Amino acid sequence: MRTRTTTAAGALLTSVVLLATACGGSGSDTAGSGSDTSGSGSGTITMWARDTQKGFINLVADAWNKDHDTKVKVTVVPQANFVQKFGTAAASGSGPDVASIDLVFLPYFASTGVLDDITELENKLPYKDGLSAAHRRLATYNGRTYALPFTAEASVLFYNKGLFRKAGLDPDKPPKNYAEIISAAKKIRALGKDTYGYAIAGQCGGCNVFEFTPHIWASGGDVLTADGKKALFDTPEVTDALTFYRKLYTDGSMPAQSKTDNGTNQPAAFQSGKLGMTPLGAFFVQVLNKDDKVDFGVAPLPGKNGGSASFAGGDEIAVTKNAKNKEQAQEFVKWATGEQAQTVLADNGVVPVRTDLLDKIYIPLDPRYKVLAEAMEKGRTPYSTVENALFNDSNGPWVNMINRAVFDGDIAKAQEEGQKAAQSIIDDAP
């Protein structure tokens, strides 16, 4: 894939429109511009972030602003518009100084030339090796670094300990393979007509790459080759994972709404106390703790015969190529990976990207965070400049394959068509 620069603005804008995510959200989308170009340490750093970060992003900015003459001004952009809006603004030179970007989009934006090369900045960090390996990999393009890890997420299995007890299951021994999940889900389903064993969000692309892919990885498989140039949707490990989900559905352990859920019903069902197990992210621990209605545990997402894996989610923080206040923007990006900023994130339920700080600032906050920290440390993320079209798009080949296999039952055909569609997207990428 060829690297494009901001001089190819017209082509970039077309690509950005096609890349825009299918997920929704709300928030301000009014952008400002940096004013200081002298490197004197004064002025303003403009920063864009998705509205999924509105619960903590201004707290991070406030911590910086308290101790620095240069102030960070945050603009919250609706998630549904972020990719298109940022790509368009960055290509035209009207974007922010700094952007917090979903790590899955880093290979794409790095390939377009709209991000600043900060390889040397990363190399000078004394804790470079303590940063999330998955984030660092996604921030690299053609051997150069275009962002630093900022926030992390990990996918794990949430389970209702109260329902485990009622079903005669040991609440301190969560399932460790497909067969154990299927067995536990059936026993929980048998508790009553309104109680279910397992739920997914069938129509949510981002949910399914985050929650389903770890089963494949834990079983020794993958969904893309390491260079992202070949789809692996038709492998035996994918077949086994799809068969696993299909069994949960045909057993009646999975509620019918899983087929149409776009991501809103899944967490709500668990919060209701009527769902035994569901795969979700670290963010849900804080939600459940505040709700304080469900006695819950967290466990690694297992493979067919054991093992475990996690999707490494979260954001990278990048300086734009045309930043107005580049020197101070680089200082802020570096500071965002430091202990002060990462502690603010940890205190607000966000997994730190500093693996060397997990035992100090994160795990002591909740004993369940240990499982999440371990999951994040070994988390993985598919590397692709067309990740959105392959996985996050709720009309894309990944979601279509899962839906056809799990809810319609034609697993072989679903994989065949999914593989063909995914490889076509990869082959057509610039």
Side-chain angles (χ1 to χ4, degrees), residues 60-409:
V60 174
D62 289 346
W64 163 276
N65 291 340
K66 182 180 179 181
D67 299 328
H68 296 81
D69 292 332
T70 305
K71 305 304 179 184
V72 174
K73 179 183 178 182
V74 176
T75 294
V76 175
V77 180
Q79 177 168 298
N81 302 337
F82 186 90
V83 172
Q84 179 179 349
K85 186 177 181 66
F86 173 70
T88 301
S92 66
S94 61
D97 296 315
V98 173
S100 177
I101 305 170
D102 190 329
L103 83 166
V104 300
F105 298 125
L106 251 296
Y108 170 75
F109 281 122
S111 75
T112 65
V114 300
L115 304 180
D116 202 32
D117 183 338
I118 56 171
T119 305
E120 299 310 316
L121 185 154
E122 183 195 44
N123 287 338
K124 291 178 181 178
L125 293 176
Y127 47 81
K128 172 183 172 180
D129 293 337
L131 292 168
S132 164
H135 285 68
R136 288 180 59 196
R137 176 172 174 261
L138 270 288
T140 303
Y141 183 77
N142 285 343
R144 306 296 293 178
T145 299
Y146 291 90
L148 292 180
F150 180 39
T151 67
E153 253 292 6
S155 44
V156 293
L157 181 70
F158 284 78
Y159 65 100
N160 185 318
K161 289 188 173 184
L163 292 181
F164 265 56
R165 294 187 188 97
K166 289 182 180 180
L169 300 164
D170 188 338
D172 295 321
K173 294 182 179 180
K176 295 183 178 181
N177 55 49
Y178 294 174
E180 290 182 7
I181 288 179
I182 291 169
S183 176
K186 288 178 69 175
K187 291 178 180 179
I188 292 169
R189 179 72 180 99
L191 293 175
K193 64 178 182 179
D194 296 328
T195 303
Y196 288 89
Y198 201 94
I200 65 171
Q203 294 300 318
C204 176
C207 305
N208 279 299
V209 68
F210 184 74
E211 299 163 7
F212 183 65
T213 312
H215 292 302
I216 298 165
W217 289 330
S219 301
D222 212 329
V223 293
L224 295 175
T225 54
D227 60 7
K229 294 182 179 179
K230 189 177 188 306
L232 300 174
F233 287 24
D234 58 354
T235 60
E237 292 83 4
V238 176
T239 305
D240 289 339
L242 291 170
T243 303
F244 160 53
Y245 265 23
R246 174 66 179 169
K247 180 65 173 173
L248 288 166
Y249 182 67
T250 57
D251 277 353
S253 298
M254 192 181 289
Q257 68 181 9
S258 285
K259 182 176 181 178
T260 57
D261 188 4
N262 65 1
T264 58
N265 292 325
Q266 181 188 13
F270 193 85
Q271 285 179 271
S272 74
K274 295 292 187 178
L275 179 63
M277 295 172 284
T278 194
L280 282 167
F283 76 93
F284 201 44
V285 172
Q286 190 177 49
V287 172
L288 292 171
N289 281 340
K290 287 182 178 180
D291 198 31
D292 197 25
K293 293 179 180 179
V294 177
D295 180 13
F296 70 99
V298 294
L301 287 172
K304 180 180 179 180
N305 298 312
S308 66
S310 171
F311 190 100
D315 272 41
E316 313 263 18
I317 190 164
V319 178
T320 61
K321 190 75 171 180
N322 294 315
K324 308 296 190 303
N325 197 352
K326 187 169 292 188
E327 183 176 332
Q328 288 301 303
Q330 290 186 351
E331 284 298 312
F332 175 74
V333 165
K334 181 171 65 174
W335 174 87
T337 67
E339 183 170 342
Q340 182 184 5
Q342 292 294 305
T343 300
V344 171
L345 294 171
D347 288 344
N348 286 276
V350 181
V351 186
V353 293
R354 288 280 300 278
T355 60
D356 59 325
L357 292 176
L358 290 171
D359 286 328
K360 179 180 181 182
I361 67 173
Y362 183 63
I363 294 174
L365 300 177
D366 189 307
R368 287 166 290 216
Y369 281 171
K370 182 175 177 59
V371 175
L372 295 160
E374 291 173 348
M376 192 280 291
E377 284 190 83
K378 62 180 182 180
R380 298 167 62 176
T381 314
Y383 186 101
S384 175
T385 60
V386 288
E387 196 277 350
N388 185 74
L390 290 172
F391 298 106
N392 278 41
D393 185 347
S394 291
N395 293 310
W398 182 249
V399 173
N400 287 337
M401 178 184 71
I402 293 172
N403 271 266
R404 182 165 187 174
V406 175
F407 303 114
D408 297 337

